Amino acid sequence: MKKSCIKGLISLLCNAAAAALTVMCVVGFFTKGGQGNMEVVGFSAFRYFTVDSNVLAALSAIFALPWSFRTMLGGNRAMKRRVLIFKYVGTCATTLTMLTVIFFLGPKLGYGEMFAGNNLYMHLITPVLMLISLVCAENKGNIAFRETLYGLIPTVIYGAVYAAEVLILKNWEDFYGFNAGGKWYIFFPVMLAAAYLICVIIRTLHRVSCGMR
C-alpha cells in the first residue's frame, strides 16, 4: 500500500472515531448525565469548553472525511484549504482542552474526575486522535502563520461568554476556577497566551510533517 494511502486510512480512522466518540459523549449527557467534573444533564453540558471544543473538532473531522476516503483510495490532492483550516481550529481547541486537564484541572481537582467515564474520550482520546490525524496524516497544504489566529477564535469566544456568565451575570459557578482569589485578570490573559502558543506549536508540527521549514 502506498504511503499516501496509509495516511488516508489513518486520517479516516481518526476522524471517524473522533466524530463517533463525540456523538456518543454528547448523547450521554441527555440519556444518563455527565460524569466526573461535568455532572450535568442535557444542554447544560454546553457550558463546558470541553464539550464545545469536542463538538467543533467532530464537525471538522466530518468535513475532512471525504478527503480521507479519497486519499485512502489513492487520491493525491491536498485537502481543501477551508477544510484544513477548520480541522486545524478544531485540533487547537481540543488540544487546549487536553493540556488544561493535564496541567491545571487534573492536579487541582484530581485526575479521577477528569478521566471518569466519557470524560476520558473528551479530555484525552479525541484530542489525541485529532492531533495524530492532522499532524501525521493530513500533512499536505500550508497553514500560514497569520492563520494561527483562527485557532484562537474558539478560546476568545468561550472566554468572553464564560467571563460574562461568571463575573457579570453570575449565572454560572466558576467551575474552572479562573476567578480564584478574584484574579481573573491574571488567569484569562495566561489562558489566552497558552492557547495561542498551542496554535503556533501545532502549526509548526504540521509544517515539519509537511517537510516545510
Side-chain angles (χ1 to χ4, degrees):
M1 186 180 290
K2 295 193 304 182
K3 187 176 181 180
S4 61
C5 295
I6 294 175
K7 288 183 177 181
L9 177 61
I10 293 172
S11 174
L12 180 69
L13 292 175
C14 288
N15 286 320
L21 289 173
T22 300
V23 170
M24 179 189 75
C25 292
V26 171
V27 169
F29 280 107
F30 289 87
T31 56
K32 61 181 180 180
Q35 297 160 290
N37 70 312
M38 296 187 291
E39 291 185 348
V40 296
V41 178
F43 288 102
S44 294
F46 294 102
R47 70 176 59 183
Y48 296 104
F49 185 76
T50 291
V51 178
D52 298 336
S53 64
N54 273 258
V55 169
L56 178 68
L59 289 173
S60 71
I62 290 170
F63 273 87
L65 280 174
W67 177 89
S68 306
F69 187 70
R70 288 194 300 268
T71 303
M72 182 185 68
L73 295 181
N76 199 35
R77 291 186 178 181
M79 184 180 289
K80 289 183 179 179
R81 185 160 193 79
R82 59 181 178 272
V83 176
L84 174 63
I85 298 303
F86 188 18
K87 183 69 187 292
Y88 167 71
V89 171
T91 302
C92 290
T94 48
T95 301
L96 176 62
T97 289
M98 177 176 66
L99 295 181
T100 299
V101 165
I102 292 173
F103 295 110
F104 180 69
L105 295 178
K108 182 179 178 181
L109 302 177
Y111 288 103
E113 285 201 0
M114 293 300 107
F115 299 124
N118 287 344
N119 289 2
L120 175 64
Y121 303 114
M122 293 184 286
H123 285 156
L124 182 64
I125 294 179
T126 294
V128 169
L129 290 172
M130 294 294 290
L131 271 173
I132 290 174
S133 59
L134 179 71
V135 173
C136 300
E138 295 154 4
N139 52 353
K140 282 188 176 182
N142 177 40
I143 300 172
F145 187 78
R146 67 180 181 277
E147 291 172 323
T148 54
L149 292 173
Y150 292 142
L152 204 55
I153 291 174
T155 305
V156 171
I157 294 175
Y158 182 83
V161 173
Y162 188 86
E165 294 289 346
V166 172
L167 301 176
I168 301 173
L169 302 175
K170 302 188 185 302
N171 290 328
W172 296 353
E173 61 179 295
D174 184 22
F175 43 81
Y176 285 134
F178 291 156
N179 192 38
K183 295 182 178 179
W184 61 268
Y185 55 88
I186 295 176
F187 280 102
F188 278 98
V190 167
M191 285 301 297
L192 200 60
Y196 187 62
L197 179 61
I198 288 169
C199 295
V200 172
I201 291 174
I202 291 176
R203 184 248 181 187
T204 300
L205 291 174
H206 186 266
R207 285 177 62 83
V208 170
S209 182
C210 289
M212 301 178 184
R213 294 183 178 179

